[in-house]
């Protein structure tokens, strides 16, 4: 599953968890960002399996604003690659599958179904306009991206996420008509036998990221 | 683990996943947002177990910008409650533990250690200023919030996340000196025997959130 072995001192203690060590390793502790993928397709059904798991994760007012564009045709890959930062272009062209994850700023259209308890929600968000809806859509989508990365790994897939691209260019290229706003581009597949990932870097420890009042 | 039984038609098919159905249920498919918690403390060690799992999730350039303020003292709870939307105040005062999750806009100070391959990264981000660093910190923090919610559930905890609060007020109250920017307030604990969660609402299906080009 990984191209490197963890240093023993870095293997987290999972005794405080209800999930087993193999699952912890699959989803987090041994999972690695992958830049070099093995040949082979990623089926829609694999991405759907991931989504069908993680769509149950909480979002603001149950807005569920994450959207997924699967970039499959050679022509669409070229169009996307043209908006990527230089260092990410070859990756998009080479990956088994690349998805653009976007926030739907028209999420309010689904509120009567997704949040029936919220009377008049659709109308209030319609009045707020795209600029008024974008912050909530963006935040919940990025939280859902966290779930999605976990879900793709749960489905046996590996990811390489890229923030380096022209967001406005991607939106004009693919989302001119539907209110989606691109957040992240993610390559998806299985790791190449060699050179799939960079050497693992450390993370901040709990006492470095937390405080108590 | 939940206060309601899933409708059979809503139980996701986990055959496409490498994790077992009980784990899928724990992390996503049966997990519920909790607003009514049982009495009892949440130890620092439980939150740390969640963080120690999810800190391995990917962030932009390995910036790891998520920060956690554990709000424990009665006085600090009152200070936080004063910045919450009306409907969230009583929840903050009643929860076993409330955490404010924040983005560290000074994440660049750690780059020589977290991203040693990125020569001059700390200096470039220092020049960008807080406003220049905030978007990257905010996006990666929200992705990490997705991981953290999964991690808290993996540690046997339940969460009730709240976006309805005065972000600038919370930042002035708690983060005037450290560059943290509040993103979400999360109540943490175990569900009350009755009335822990609202009736479950549906989610958008894969074909409603995805498109292929």
């Amino acid at each position: 599953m990984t191209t490197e072995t963890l240093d023993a001192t870095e293997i987290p203690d999972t005794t405080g968890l209800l999930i087993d060590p193999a699952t912890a390793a699959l989803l987090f502790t041994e999972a690695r960002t992958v830049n070099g993928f093995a040949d082979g397709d990623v089926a829609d059904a694999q991405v759907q399996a991931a989504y069908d798991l993680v769509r149950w994760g909480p979002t603001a007012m149950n807005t569920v604003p994450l959207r997924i564009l699967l970039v499959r045709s050679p022509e669409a890959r070229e169009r996307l690659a043209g908006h990527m930062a230089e260092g990410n272009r070859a990756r998009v062209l080479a990956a088994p599958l690349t998805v653009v994850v976007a926030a739907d700023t028209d999420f309010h259209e689904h509120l009567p179904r997704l949040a029936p308890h919220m009377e008049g929600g659709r109308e209030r968000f319609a009045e707020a306009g795209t600029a008024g809806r974008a912050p909530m859509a963006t935040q919940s989508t990025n939280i859902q991206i966290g779930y999605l990365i976990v879900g793709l790994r749960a489905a046996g897939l590996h990811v390489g996420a890229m923030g380096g691209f022209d967001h406005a260019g991607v939106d004009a290229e693919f989302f001119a008509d539907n209110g989606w706003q691109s957040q992240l581009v993610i390559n998806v597949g299985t790791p190449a036998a060699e050179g799939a990932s960079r050497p693992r870097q450390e993370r901040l420890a709990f006492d470095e990221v937390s405080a108590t009042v």
Side-chain angles (χ1 to χ4, degrees), chain A:
Chain A
M1 176 189 332
T2 62
T3 56
E4 291 179 76
T5 308
L6 283 172
D7 186 293
T9 60
E10 294 283 8
I11 296 178
D13 176 8
T14 59
T15 51
L17 302 175
L18 301 186
I19 64 175
D20 62 71
T23 301
L26 176 73
L27 302 182
F28 287 107
T29 61
E30 292 200 29
R32 301 289 309 281
T33 288
V34 168
N35 294 315
F37 291 92
D39 291 337
D41 292 331
V42 175
D44 282 8
Q46 292 176 278
V47 181
Q48 178 165 356
Y51 177 77
D52 282 348
L53 175 69
V54 306
R55 64 186 170 131
W56 298 104
T59 56
M61 299 179 192
N62 200 35
T63 45
V64 197
L66 176 141
R67 302 292 179 265
I68 302 168
L69 181 73
L70 296 94
V71 182
R72 291 203 175 274
S73 73
E75 176 258 347
R77 280 173 189 272
E78 290 285 354
R79 284 165 63 204
L80 176 59
H83 298 285
M84 300 300 296
E86 183 84 32
N88 291 329
R89 278 178 205 163
R91 291 178 184 170
V92 162
L93 297 174
L97 172 66
T98 300
V99 300
V100 180
V101 186
D104 186 358
T105 60
D106 290 338
F107 64 83
H108 61 297
E109 299 294 349
H110 300 284
L111 283 181
R113 198 177 121 213
L114 297 177
H117 54 284
M118 213 173 88
E119 222 172 300
R122 174 166 57 180
E123 292 69 27
R124 282 204 309 281
F125 279 111
E127 282 169 27
T130 302
R133 294 187 300 270
M136 183 184 283
T138 300
Q139 178 171 32
S140 279
T141 294
N142 280 292
I143 293 173
Q144 284 192 281
I145 289 174
Y147 305 148
L148 183 65
I149 289 173
V150 174
L152 289 166
R153 290 171 169 179
L157 295 166
H158 293 244
V159 303
M162 297 168 295
F165 62 93
D166 174 0
H167 292 235
V170 168
D171 294 353
E173 185 80 48
F174 295 106
F175 307 136
D177 299 323
N178 64 3
W180 295 11
Q181 294 184 353
S182 57
Q183 303 296 319
L184 203 65
V185 176
I186 307 182
N187 290 326
V188 184
T190 54
E194 283 186 24
S197 299
R198 287 194 192 145
R200 189 186 184 95
Q201 302 297 344
E202 63 175 313
R203 300 294 192 271
L204 297 175
F206 185 67
D207 63 1
E208 297 177 289
V209 304
S210 64
T212 301
V213 288

